[in-house]
Amino acid sequence: MPEPRTVVIAAFPGVELLEVTGPAEVFSIASRLVAGDAPAYRVEVAAPQAGPLPTAAGIDLVAARSLAEVGPGVDTLLVAGAMTTADGRHEAVVDPDVVAWLATAAPAARRVGGVCAGVHLLAAAGLLAGLPATTHWLTADRLAAEYPDVAVDPEPIFIRAGRTWTCAGVTSALDLALAMVAEDLGPALALDAARAMVMYVKRPGGQSQFSVPLSLQTTADDRIDGLRRWIDDNLAARISVETMAARLHLRRCWVIDQLHGVMRWR
């Protein structure tokens, strides 16, 4: 009987709640979907101190063990993050205890990942030198400025560079964890996990951090929003620009202008 893979999520006081619980839930659901007597994953939360762990959401988690108590045999090591905002400036929280621990613990893990602003901790520990990486778009410029040896790309929701993974904003942690499940257990099981979580879509890593559906909702024109909903309901169909124009009783050129302006096609 294979041993479950140990996933350690490193956190610190003030961490973003979903950056810890989101990946944990993905690995937990994947374990429940795997047939067999043993779970596929064992997930642990570790922090500089074991015990109650306050989060940015005002809800306390419990760190099962301190970072110093994390033993060998870690399969996947994820680092959650947090941000502070002052005078309109967003900065990643870089916990020195977590950074010091990462420098020694990360090389022993099979796979390492940074979640959102947690990517800054990986960089501070020297784990991203010479690698491509992404992080939340609010702090991507700061990451690039502070670590010029990291090829920062603010566009994708996650990037894999060998054994090192980095991801963007909070919910992209789900996409990163699902991609890891797909690598371990196959894409079919990862898709089943996404369905079980009632996810709207299982996103590939190269997708832009800026959601097209959300961008469309910012337009004041209800006609284009109605078209978006119709397209969502007919994704399996072959939809031409002429078809979309006919639904809106408009000229083809107007639809093209709207789609280029709102969806920012490239």
Side-chain angles (χ1 to χ4, degrees), residues 16 78 232:
E16 292 290 341
L78 298 181
D232 283 347

Side-chain angles (χ1 to χ4, degrees), residues 25-262:
E25 189 69 8
V26 170
F27 290 117
S28 172
I29 287 177
S31 282
R32 285 175 260 168
L33 291 173
V34 173
D37 298 327
Y41 298 99
R42 179 192 299 113
V43 183
E44 301 176 351
V45 177
Q49 302 294 327
L53 180 66
T55 71
I59 298 172
D60 285 359
L61 297 174
V62 175
R65 62 184 65 199
S66 69
L67 297 174
E69 294 172 329
V70 175
V74 175
D75 178 85
T76 301
L77 174 57
L78 298 181
V79 188
M83 276 189 249
T84 60
T85 304
D87 299 324
R89 185 182 180 90
H90 304 278
E91 294 194 12
V93 177
V94 179
D95 187 287
D97 293 327
V98 177
V99 171
W101 176 78
L102 283 172
T104 57
R110 177 177 71 93
R111 183 169 58 191
V112 178
V115 178
C116 192
V119 175
H120 289 254
L121 282 77
L122 289 182
L127 300 172
L128 297 181
L131 298 178
T134 192
T135 188
H136 196 291
W137 59 272
L138 283 171
T139 64
D141 287 347
R142 187 65 179 267
L143 181 67
E146 292 182 351
Y147 302 98
D149 57 349
V150 180
V152 179
D153 185 348
E155 283 291 318
I157 58 172
F158 69 84
I159 290 176
R160 178 187 180 184
R163 60 185 289 272
T164 305
W165 302 59
T166 53
C167 76
V170 192
T171 60
S172 65
L174 303 178
D175 302 289
L176 179 140
L178 282 168
M180 290 179 170
V181 169
E183 179 184 60
D184 297 339
L185 306 174
L189 192 130
L191 189 58
D192 286 343
R195 290 194 185 103
M197 297 179 72
V198 200
M199 291 181 66
Y200 174 66
V201 63
K202 179 178 173 290
R203 301 177 294 179
Q207 182 168 317
S208 171
Q209 293 189 29
F210 294 94
S211 163
V212 168
L214 287 182
S215 297
L216 285 170
Q217 290 174 31
T218 63
T219 178
D221 195 323
D222 290 338
R223 292 175 295 174
I224 199 72
D225 193 49
L227 177 63
R228 175 191 64 80
R229 291 193 297 270
W230 179 81
I231 292 172
D232 283 347
D233 292 337
N234 294 274
L235 291 177
R238 188 177 183 85
I239 302 172
S240 66
V241 173
E242 288 77 11
T243 299
M244 292 186 285
R247 287 197 61 82
L248 297 177
H249 308 289
L250 295 167
R251 296 191 306 273
R252 179 178 186 271
C253 60
W254 185 91
V255 176
I256 293 175
D257 287 343
Q258 289 295 305
L259 291 175
H260 274 271
V262 178

